[in-house]
Amino acid sequence: MKSVFLALALSVGLLLAAAPAPAQEEFASHMHAGMVALKSEDYRGASIRLEAAVREGARLGDRDPRYAAAVYFLAVSYHRQQRYAEAEARYKQALQMTERIRGPQHPDVATILNDLATAYLEQGQHAIAEPLLKRLISMQEKALGPDHLTVAATLNRLGELYRDVGRYTLAIPLYRRALAIFERGRGPEHPDVATTLNNLALAYAAQSRFFEAEPLYLRAIEIREKARAPRVATTLHNLGEMYRAQGR
């Protein structure tokens, strides 16, 4: 579900449309500078310019998609600095505005939900992130179909959330479904398959289902070794830890 926010924010011609000249010039100048700073990973500088863009954007009205874009990218700049409280407030504001402007099923809504959920997960706020990821999966399934790779990636993330809090019986079917989608869509030797195999094995091992976990670890290692992927060490470590727990 590709977001149109970035193209919107970087298109000076679009930013200059439908606003009085002084407001549009100030807004466009700050927005452009903020996006350049974001792209160059100058997140503090981006925040300063995007804060100014939001102030000017308010003059456009809260139903203007350019104002919503400015609020969203300000949230992103805060998020990159781990200024979570400020990021959360702006993400929520952008979400509400975008739902009003675009509708609740628009791809931009999905983009904001994803980023807001990520911010919560980074803070260990799994209970708040859970309904956001569930809503995101529902939106992706409706827009892209239940077997889309994007759906699989979000299923994996929700599985990770459940595994992190010890809800393995909820994590496992999500991993299994994501694995099946990745195998069909990416092929059996793709790194995304290896990642999901590793995650599913971790969930089995946490339940002492070692017989089921071991072949998954071994297959993930084989895929990663063939691809010369750096994360092979992670799966080797996980397999070693499982053997140690078994006294092998």
Side-chain angles (χ1 to χ4, degrees):
M1 302 179 73
K2 186 177 181 180
S3 172
V4 299
F5 269 139
L6 188 56
L8 175 66
L10 292 177
S11 174
V12 176
L14 182 57
L15 289 170
L16 292 176
Q24 69 183 18
E25 291 173 4
E26 285 294 316
F27 177 78
S29 174
H30 290 305
M31 191 71 177
H32 178 72
M35 295 306 299
V36 170
L38 264 183
K39 188 175 181 180
S40 64
E41 300 183 358
D42 175 14
Y43 301 126
R44 183 175 180 276
S47 294
I48 293 169
R49 297 308 295 267
L50 290 168
E51 285 166 356
V54 167
R55 288 194 296 270
E56 292 297 327
R59 299 167 64 182
L60 304 174
D62 62 6
R63 294 194 66 86
D64 193 299
R66 296 167 295 172
Y67 180 27
V71 172
Y72 167 72
F73 282 112
L74 178 57
V76 171
S77 72
Y78 288 148
H79 190 175
R80 296 293 184 270
Q81 298 172 80
Q82 298 183 338
R83 295 165 62 177
Y84 290 115
E86 294 162 290
E88 177 186 343
R90 291 301 188 179
Y91 277 139
K92 287 181 175 179
Q93 181 186 0
L95 180 62
Q96 292 173 354
M97 294 173 67
T98 305
E99 286 176 325
R100 287 197 303 268
I101 297 166
R102 303 289 194 189
Q105 298 299 317
H106 194 273
D108 288 347
V109 173
T111 297
I112 302 168
L113 284 171
N114 179 74
D115 291 348
L116 181 57
T118 299
Y120 284 132
L121 288 172
E122 289 172 1
Q123 299 173 84
Q125 298 185 38
H126 297 85
I128 305 176
E130 180 185 0
L132 300 180
L133 290 177
K134 285 183 173 180
R135 181 183 170 191
L136 182 57
I137 290 169
S138 177
M139 291 177 66
Q140 291 170 340
E141 288 175 332
K142 289 177 182 177
L144 303 171
D147 295 326
H148 197 275
L149 294 170
T150 301
V151 174
T154 311
L155 289 168
N156 227 337
R157 293 187 68 201
L158 184 58
E160 286 291 273
L161 182 154
Y162 287 139
R163 186 170 61 80
D164 285 346
V165 298
R167 299 170 71 182
Y168 305 114
T169 56
L170 294 178
I172 286 170
L174 295 174
Y175 286 143
R176 284 175 172 166
R177 184 179 163 199
L179 179 61
I181 295 171
F182 281 136
E183 286 178 326
R184 287 194 300 269
R186 299 283 198 199
E189 302 297 316
H190 193 275
D192 287 346
V193 171
T195 296
T196 311
L197 286 166
N198 179 79
N199 293 342
L200 179 56
L202 283 167
Y204 281 139
Q207 295 182 299
S208 300
R209 295 167 65 176
F210 303 125
F211 182 76
E212 292 164 281
E214 182 176 10
L216 301 179
Y217 278 138
L218 293 173
R219 184 180 165 202
I221 290 167
E222 181 180 3
I223 293 171
R224 287 176 167 171
E225 285 180 335
K226 286 181 180 178
R228 298 186 178 181
R231 296 182 67 186
V232 67
T234 300
T235 310
L236 285 167
H237 172 78
N238 293 339
L239 179 60
E241 285 295 296
M242 189 187 76
Y243 286 152
R244 185 175 63 83
Q246 295 177 277
R248 296 169 67 183

